[in-house]
Amino acid sequence: MIRTVRVMGDPVLTEEALEVRDIHHPSVKTLVADMWDTMADEGGIGIAAPQVGVPLRIICFGLDEAQSTDRPAVPRTVLINPKVEFLTDETEEGWEGCLSVPGMRGSVPRCTRIRYTGFDLEGRPIDRIAQGFHARVVQHEFDHLCGKLYPMRVKDWTKFGFTRALFPPKDEPGE
Ligand code: NI
């Protein structure tokens, strides 16, 4: 079931989310199914529970097919009670958008290599190393659980704005 996406300004997005105590509680399965439905409906790559108004530490992300060389496929993952460890001091800038900040894009510095851990819906541990775009997606979604939205991390304010202004549609050839 598609749920309403909370947008920037809603207090649930700037709160610290709570640990999931019982991963096997039926409401967790329903919530995750709804998060996937909502993400698909909005055309996102990731979603965090607070974005549908539920202050729990659950994120879903994934991109089945690469969109470009710097946006490769990312494994479809449900991550409950995640932890993120930075494996390098190296950061890189990259464009981000967010379902909770509709119509906008911003360039955000993110750590280039991370380890993330957590649990899947069955309670099995997940422990992965991720780099580049995959690492960026996880850091963006993890931030939602800490009450942080990507605009709070933008350093260069000339690279934050409306998508239609930052990336105007190209003129058709011959026009
Ligand atoms: Ni987001």
Side-chain angles (χ1 to χ4, degrees):
M1 191 186 78
I2 294 163
R3 300 200 190 187
T4 304
V5 174
R6 305 300 182 93
V7 292
M8 193 165 70
D10 190 312
V12 75
L13 295 173
T14 44
E15 284 167 13
E16 187 81 19
L18 303 168
E19 293 274 320
V20 177
R21 299 281 184 131
D22 178 9
I23 290 176
H24 301 287
H25 195 281
S27 64
V28 173
K29 198 161 260 175
T30 308
L31 169 62
V32 167
D34 290 354
M35 286 168 67
W36 283 124
D37 288 348
T38 306
M39 182 180 125
D41 180 60
E42 300 259 352
I45 293 170
I47 192 166
Q51 291 185 277
V52 293
V54 180
L56 286 175
R57 306 189 79 82
I58 303 174
I59 61 179
C60 300
F61 55 87
L63 180 62
D64 295 333
E65 278 178 49
Q67 289 178 341
S68 63
T69 46
D70 48 359
R71 290 168 84 84
V74 172
R76 204 165 258 274
T77 304
V78 176
L79 198 60
I80 300 173
N81 296 337
K83 296 212 162 32
V84 172
E85 187 186 336
F86 296 146
L87 299 180
T88 172
D89 293 334
E90 193 194 344
T91 61
E92 70 184 354
E93 292 274 335
W95 290 102
E96 296 188 13
C98 181
L99 302 180
S100 296
V101 193
M104 303 192 83
R105 292 285 184 279
S107 180
V108 183
R110 297 284 187 191
C111 180
T112 56
R113 189 175 157 84
I114 64 166
R115 176 185 177 201
Y116 65 91
T117 57
F119 300 90
D120 71 10
L121 254 187
E122 278 72 48
R124 292 175 299 221
I126 292 173
D127 186 341
R128 291 182 190 149
I129 306 274
Q131 308 188 62
F133 182 62
H134 182 177
R136 174 176 298 281
V137 170
V138 174
Q139 288 170 81
H140 175 115
E141 298 312 327
F142 182 77
D143 262 0
H144 277 296
L145 308 182
C146 311
K148 263 210 150 83
L149 297 167
Y150 83 81
M152 301 174 187
R153 294 199 181 275
V154 169
K155 293 274 187 332
D156 178 351
W157 287 81
T158 69
K159 295 197 172 97
F160 175 58
F162 291 92
T163 313
R164 66 174 192 269
L166 287 162
F167 304 103
K170 294 218 170 58
D171 290 338
E172 292 296 324
E175 265 184 19

